[in-house]
Amino acid sequence: MGTAAVIDASFEVNEGEIFVVMGLSGSGKSTLIRTLNGLWRPSAGHIYLGEDDLAEVSDKQLREIRREKVSMVFQHFALLPHRTVRDNAAYPLQIQGVRKAERLERAENALQLVGLGGWGDMLPAQLSGGMRQRVGLARALASDADILLMDEAFSALDPLIRRDMQEQLIDLQQRLKKTVVFITHDLNEAMRLGNRIAVMRDGRIVQIGSAEEILSEPADDYVARFIADVDRTRVLQASTLARKPTLTLRSSIGPRNALHELTQAQLSGAFVVDREHKLLGSVVDEDLIKAQRSGATTIEDVVRTYVDPVSDDTALVDLFAPSAESPVPLPVVDADGRFTGIIPRTELLGAMAPRGTASSAPSPPSGRANDADENGNDPEQPGDDSEATLSSGGTR
């Protein structure tokens, strides 16, 4: 009688994402990835790669899929010691029957991608551990497979080299848009790499979500304990904390109308955007009064810039300095410069409190802002079957 290693593990991997499977030793993650490339056949359930069900295809079809669509990067490099670095990178192409000149050229290009240009004539024994792992990655890239399966690929490396390899993978993913399933027991590595993360326990997937979702809303006590020691400041982003401002003004509005809007909203100031909703700065009521008295037709000339906006993907660790220096809540913009929200200082401090506890930051007095401008006014606030699907080539 056997023991079930993976149970009811249903999930879908999107094309072009890094999907991380995370869990402690014995959680079933390595068994899971071995079923994804057909090394082990599932006893029940289905694994779809496009239209192919890896649980049902013939051995011949499975070999073709592994040669052409799926590449594996192993924990312990799995290099052939008697072959050069270039020949190791070219080995999958040799199996595919690619002509020698072409496969060596493609292998050399893959080595260039992973930073090993000029090392092709060396033997694996002449390389460091990190360089050997880069060869393994180059071998996977040389085959031009749509999907990369990486089983604890960086866990045997020293911390600094491991960090470099993580950076390398992120950079390659941004350029090549491969679909990656990455297995790890290291929580910080999972949080750093994964577009989405699946947390496994005793063969089951207990939660799937982005790093921010798992940190903010752990599915159960196990996940909460698992993430207890994560450095939240390096995982959570500005978009997590940003909230919609009470009022936003267009730069084309006149000072009289702007004052009316502030009065209706019971505010002393507001952020200002142009017609494309790109952030220009902020205004306060006393400046609007002066503009009205001077006969100005728009508020453009009284817009002030108290602080540069932060990008919505900025990590929390990089928000503290600008927040401390800013007299107003931090404005947040997207990649196109459009205004998406604000982060009051108390919101930033509150995000660092342990889940389920109150922030140690003092609350602002009732009716007053969390942050104030140079006049003491806040521009925004007043006074049993397992199933897996891998996306490849735009199909499911």
Side-chain angles (χ1 to χ4, degrees):
M1 183 174 179
T3 299
V6 178
I7 312 164
D8 295 333
S10 296
F11 60 93
E12 181 173 337
V13 180
N14 299 319
E15 183 179 1
E17 78 169 327
I18 299 179
F19 185 87
V20 174
V21 181
M22 177 182 71
L24 299 177
S25 179
S27 62
K29 57 189 186 299
S30 291
T31 301
L32 177 63
I33 201 169
R34 281 165 171 75
T35 64
L36 295 185
N37 75 345
L39 288 175
W40 295 344
R41 299 273 187 149
S43 54
H46 305 276
I47 302 169
Y48 294 104
L49 173 55
E51 299 299 323
D52 297 317
D53 183 354
L54 301 190
E56 302 291 342
V57 298
S58 67
D59 290 343
K60 180 180 179 181
Q61 289 175 302
L62 182 59
R63 286 193 296 270
E64 291 175 355
I65 290 170
R66 289 210 296 251
R67 281 199 301 262
E68 299 173 5
K69 296 182 179 180
V70 180
S71 287
M72 189 94 175
V73 181
F74 298 92
Q75 176 179 354
H76 295 293
F77 318 138
L79 301 181
L80 301 171
H82 61 285
R83 289 178 176 248
T84 66
V85 165
R86 186 182 297 104
D87 286 337
N88 266 281
Y91 186 64
L93 301 175
Q94 181 180 346
I95 294 176
Q96 294 177 19
V98 176
R99 292 182 297 107
K100 183 175 182 179
E102 181 182 348
R103 69 175 182 253
L104 292 180
E105 180 182 358
R106 287 170 59 177
E108 188 62 43
N109 290 337
L111 291 172
Q112 293 282 351
L113 281 174
V114 300
L116 288 179
W119 291 85
D121 294 326
M122 299 293 181
L123 291 172
Q126 297 173 285
L127 306 183
S128 68
M131 295 172 77
R132 289 197 293 273
Q133 191 59 286
R134 288 174 190 265
V135 177
L137 184 55
R139 180 176 55 195
L141 295 174
S143 67
D144 200 28
D146 297 317
I147 295 167
L148 301 183
L149 303 179
M150 307 184 72
D151 186 12
E152 300 273 11
F154 304 150
S155 63
L157 304 176
D158 293 335
L160 290 179
I161 299 174
R162 185 172 188 164
R163 178 84 173 188
D164 288 343
M165 289 300 300
Q166 292 167 1
E167 292 280 0
Q168 180 89 64
L169 180 60
I170 292 171
D171 179 63
L172 287 170
Q173 178 64 4
Q174 290 173 343
R175 287 187 283 165
L176 303 180
K177 308 299 182 185
K178 298 290 186 181
T179 301
V180 181
V181 179
F182 192 99
I183 303 296
T184 184
H185 65 271
D186 186 292
L187 184 57
N188 286 302
E189 182 170 70
M191 295 288 177
R192 178 174 178 76
L193 294 178
N195 298 113
R196 289 185 302 140
I197 300 166
V199 183
M200 291 194 72
R201 181 189 187 189
D202 297 334
R204 300 180 185 271
I205 294 179
V206 295
Q207 185 170 4
I208 296 177
S210 67
E212 294 186 1
E213 290 168 344
I214 290 174
L215 276 180
S216 302
E217 297 292 338
D220 55 23
D221 290 341
Y222 171 78
V223 179
R225 293 194 303 271
F226 205 95
I227 65 174
D229 295 328
V230 173
D231 185 351
R232 299 168 64 88
T233 67
R234 298 188 182 278
V235 177
L236 297 178
Q237 299 180 338
S239 58
T240 308
L241 300 185
R243 57 182 178 81
K244 188 176 180 180
T246 305
L247 174 67
T248 302
L249 297 174
R250 290 289 183 90
S251 60
S252 57
I253 195 174
R256 181 185 296 275
N257 287 337
L259 282 167
H260 176 72
E261 294 277 359
L262 290 178
T263 301
Q264 290 293 105
Q266 297 183 335
L267 300 176
S268 58
F271 283 101
V272 180
V273 297
D274 63 15
R275 65 176 60 189
E276 296 178 349
H277 212 71
K278 293 185 177 180
L279 182 67
L280 300 179
S282 57
V283 293
V284 293
D285 49 9
E286 61 185 55
D287 288 340
L288 292 172
I289 293 172
K290 293 177 184 177
Q292 181 182 350
R293 289 173 179 170
S294 68
T297 58
T298 70
I299 64 174
E300 290 180 348
D301 291 337
V302 292
V303 174
R304 304 188 189 187
T305 303
Y306 293 102
V307 62
D308 291 332
V310 297
S311 173
D312 55 8
D313 61 359
T314 303
L316 261 62
V317 70
D318 297 320
L319 297 180
F320 291 104
S323 178
E325 297 170 358
S326 174
V328 298
L330 283 179
V332 182
V333 297
D334 63 16
D336 296 318
R338 288 188 291 266
F339 185 40
T340 60
I342 58 171
I343 303 177
R345 188 176 297 119
T346 50
E347 194 83 13
L348 181 59
L349 295 175
M352 306 318 301
R355 179 175 169 79
T357 65
S359 169
S360 59
S363 300
S366 177
R368 294 304 299 259
N370 293 333
D371 298 88
D373 65 16
E374 60 190 12
N375 299 309
N377 300 313
D378 178 11
E380 287 303 330
Q381 297 189 22
D384 288 345
D385 276 357
S386 303
E387 181 172 328
T389 304
L390 304 182
S391 292
S392 168
T395 62
R396 286 186 51 191

